[in-house]
Amino acid sequence: MRSINFKSALISFLIAFSITFFTTTFSSCKKANDTIGIIIVKDSNGNTVSGATVILHQDGLISPQGNSTNSELRKTSLTDSNGRAEFTYQLEAIFQVNVEKVDGNNTYSGSNIIRLLKEKTVTQIVEIN
């Protein structure tokens, strides 16, 4: 019968533990980057428009379970002083973009489509008139 060398067993255990520890620590799941859609609203003269209401939606989309998914994905934002509205999602998607700006008795509107790519920032310009 062979005797177990305690020193060799300890060294083997420490090597195996170190490899396992570093493998799981440094290769653990990395948080995915956000999927961002930026809408820039401009008027017919090319000037940015602040205070416009921007809506991203997928009206008419039905999930495989038969439920409408509009409420989960529909988002509304106002453009900032640079005519910019930003939307953050986790996954990629294609959205209808509707924009409306009320200025006194005048209402200006425009629409477009934006395709968001996973973990990327996509910018789309919408002209209103």
Side-chain angles (χ1 to χ4, degrees):
M1 197 176 202
R2 275 170 120 206
S3 64
I4 298 176
N5 184 343
F6 179 73
K7 188 175 180 181
S8 296
L10 181 61
I11 290 172
S12 296
F13 171 77
L14 289 175
I15 290 172
F17 177 78
S18 297
I19 291 171
T20 304
F21 175 77
F22 285 111
T23 301
T24 57
T25 300
F26 296 111
S27 67
S28 62
C29 295
K30 178 182 103 171
K31 182 184 180 275
N33 294 328
D34 287 330
T35 300
I36 299 173
I38 297 173
I39 306 300
I40 298 175
V41 179
K42 294 187 175 189
D43 63 18
S44 58
N45 296 322
N47 302 313
T48 58
V49 179
S50 63
T53 302
V54 180
I55 302 170
L56 265 58
H57 61 94
Q58 292 183 324
D59 285 347
L61 181 68
I62 304 296
S63 72
Q65 294 80 20
N67 302 324
S68 174
T69 59
N70 294 338
S71 61
E72 297 171 9
L73 300 175
R74 183 183 189 94
K75 292 186 179 183
T76 303
S77 181
L78 289 177
T79 56
D80 61 15
S81 60
N82 297 315
R84 182 180 188 272
E86 185 173 309
F87 300 86
T88 303
Y89 291 90
Q90 291 182 352
L91 301 174
E92 62 183 54
I94 298 173
F95 289 103
Q96 176 71 35
V97 182
N98 291 341
V99 179
E100 184 174 277
K101 169 73 177 183
V102 177
D103 187 16
N105 291 331
N106 298 318
T107 300
Y108 303 95
S109 62
S111 63
N112 208 332
I113 293 176
I114 187 168
R115 179 178 181 211
L116 301 182
L117 303 173
K118 188 174 180 182
E119 299 185 34
K120 304 279 185 200
T121 298
V122 178
T123 302
Q124 184 66 269
I125 296 174
V126 177
E127 183 179 309
I128 61 173
N129 48 35

